Amino acid sequence: MITLVINSGSSSLKYQVREGDDVLAEGLVERIGEAEVPDHAAALDCVDRDVAAALGDRGIDAVGHRVVHGGERFSEPVLIDNEITRAIERLNPLAPLHNPAAVTGIRAITDKWPDMPQVAVFDTAFHRTLPERAWRYAVPDELYRKYGIRRYGFHGTSHAYVAQGAAELLGEKAFTGVIAHLGNGASVTAVRAGESIDTSMGFTPLEGLVMGTRSGDIDPSILLFLLREGYSEQDLDTLLNRTSGLKGLAGTNDMRSVAEAAASGDDRAALAIEVASYRLAKYIGGYHVAVGGAQALVFTAGIGENAGDFRSAVVSKLGALGLELDEGLNAERSKKARTISTAASAFPVLVVPTDEEAAIAGATADVVRRS
Ligand code: AMP
């Protein structure tokens, strides 16, 4: 089955065409809304041209969409119809930057290819197994009932894919342990018997770890303090989502630059790595307890897969759990799932590359075959 995977942003459209493990075409259409690409329909025409050039006389069989927010309703990928599109649209207030773009992408495909099977794959779905004690905030119940204020968790497609990969590497049926997805956005998930039971992102993808430009956990009173100091809602949004995290501490959101600066003696960069790795180590300790003893700790995504020094900074703080990296294995560069801890480590530390497009394409093909 040839699947087109679409990740729609408000002004961009990322796509990949896959047949099983083969990537037949991929690309990014940017600046949607400007003169050359006035809307998502025009962006889709660009994709169509690229795809036709790559596929020749073959065509796409199905489209899989990455949808950030599935709310409380969606716990797995679904075949899209009008009702599903409207349900995704009703979740717009919970993900105002992301879900409207996905809905626009879905409708653009429906207009262009009315008979094309389309599947929505939700970033929140894997975390629908969180027990209530993990997803509740200790705020008045009314806020949950009126606004849906609770923890949802994100990066679920990646965490689920990596949990499967880790289970295969360990020779287990289902994974129990801790997965750290460390990219520009970062989250850590506690997985027990293949199910997510806790995760660091919450109501939005802002909670939890120190990220590229997001603060992660802070005392909410800081916001009240800044409001009283004259900050606007927009100022606070920009502060927490765009100018905090590694960028706020070290001046750049790119871990490669932060690591290089730290290595050449930049104190702010070294501090950023310490703050980020310490925060993550605390979560890992907590989630080791949550899962009842991890079988493994897994690193994934841009930083998790490539930044050996950062992995080392994290694991060096986990001596109390008995974890020990093999620095030779940790320094090796590889695109394969692998173990990077010593034989003496209390449980293995793994690197398992993530591939959200492969996961979305796989889920899309499964749903379409079953329908
Ligand atoms: P992602 O969002 O998964 O693409 O990850 C992006 C992050 O991974 C950025 O902070 C990059 O600096 C970081 N990254 C990618 N490659 C490397 C590398 N070789 N060493 C350190 N960080 C890296």
Side-chain angles (χ1 to χ4, degrees):
M1 183 179 298
I2 300 184
T3 311
L4 170 64
V5 176
I6 297 230
N7 187 346
S8 307
S10 52
S11 66
S12 69
L13 193 158
K14 214 169 126 189
Y15 70 92
Q16 198 175 77
V17 180
R18 301 185 64 109
E19 187 171 30
D21 287 337
D22 295 333
V23 177
L24 307 178
E26 61 186 329
L28 172 69
V29 183
E30 289 181 290
R31 300 195 185 165
I32 300 175
E34 293 183 20
E36 264 178 55
V37 194
D39 54 22
H40 279 72
L44 213 51
D45 289 337
C46 303
V47 174
D48 194 15
R49 274 196 301 277
D50 293 353
V51 171
L55 293 185
D57 52 6
R58 299 198 302 163
I60 292 161
D61 299 306
V63 177
H65 294 268
R66 173 170 188 251
V67 181
V68 165
H69 219 302
E72 292 201 308
R73 170 167 170 182
F74 296 108
S75 55
E76 48 189 42
V78 288
L79 196 64
I80 295 173
D81 59 19
N82 282 338
E83 192 274 320
I84 297 284
T85 309
R86 281 195 299 272
I88 296 170
E89 198 168 32
R90 280 197 296 277
L91 295 166
N92 283 355
L94 293 178
L97 295 180
H98 296 102
N99 273 33
V103 170
T104 307
I106 290 166
R107 294 213 166 111
I109 300 264
T110 310
D111 288 344
K112 191 170 175 66
W113 298 307
D115 297 325
M116 178 71 71
Q118 298 188 69
V119 173
V121 181
F122 300 94
D123 238 23
T124 48
F126 182 55
H127 303 301
R128 290 292 292 117
T129 46
L130 252 61
E132 189 163 356
R133 67 180 185 204
W135 62 250
R136 273 280 178 175
Y137 290 113
V139 294
D141 186 54
E142 186 195 338
L143 297 189
Y144 166 57
R145 281 185 285 109
K146 195 166 169 195
Y147 302 113
I149 292 181
R150 51 158 288 177
R151 313 185 66 254
Y152 292 96
F154 298 87
H155 288 149
T157 307
S158 172
H159 284 294
Y161 180 85
V162 169
Q164 182 66 36
E168 280 164 23
L169 187 62
L170 295 167
E172 300 282 345
K173 264 217 199 86
F175 178 69
T176 292
V178 183
I179 298 172
H181 174 113
L182 311 175
N184 231 328
S187 68
V188 53
T189 293
V191 179
R192 190 168 60 204
E195 292 189 341
S196 172
I197 61 161
D198 206 349
T199 192
S200 60
M201 285 178 167
F203 180 59
T204 72
L206 179 56
E207 192 178 346
L209 302 178
V210 176
M211 308 183 213
T213 60
R214 287 173 241 166
S215 63
D217 300 331
I218 62 165
D219 181 342
S221 294
I222 295 168
L223 305 184
L224 303 178
F225 174 88
L226 292 175
L227 278 173
R228 288 194 291 267
E229 289 292 312
Y231 279 60
S232 68
E233 179 203 327
Q234 184 58 47
D235 293 338
L236 292 178
D237 191 351
T238 303
L239 177 83
L240 296 174
N241 283 301
R242 300 191 192 282
T243 59
S244 291
L246 296 177
K247 190 170 171 67
L249 290 170
T252 165
N253 64 306
D254 190 298
M255 182 55 95
R256 265 169 301 209
S257 312
V258 178
E260 278 164 22
S264 60
D266 181 328
D267 290 344
R268 288 173 67 206
L271 177 68
I273 291 173
E274 275 302 286
V275 173
S277 59
Y278 175 67
R279 173 99 49 95
L280 174 55
K282 283 201 294 186
Y283 267 97
I284 293 167
Y287 286 176
H288 176 60
V289 173
V291 301
Q295 279 174 340
L297 164 63
V298 187
F299 287 97
T300 194
I303 296 169
E305 291 168 32
N306 300 300
D309 290 349
F310 188 75
R311 291 191 299 253
S312 188
V314 175
V315 177
S316 68
K317 296 174 179 64
L318 292 168
L321 299 187
L323 294 189
E324 191 179 270
L325 279 193
D326 179 321
E327 287 302 343
L329 293 176
N330 185 43
E332 268 175 29
R333 300 214 141 266
S334 163
K335 294 267 165 231
K336 291 225 170 81
R338 62 196 192 278
T339 303
I340 56 170
S341 49
T342 64
S345 185
F347 51 86
V349 181
L350 314 177
V351 175
V352 177
T354 190
D355 189 341
E356 285 178 271
E357 280 81 12
I360 293 171
T364 300
D366 284 350
V367 170
V368 171
R369 280 196 197 101
R370 273 192 269 120
S371 67

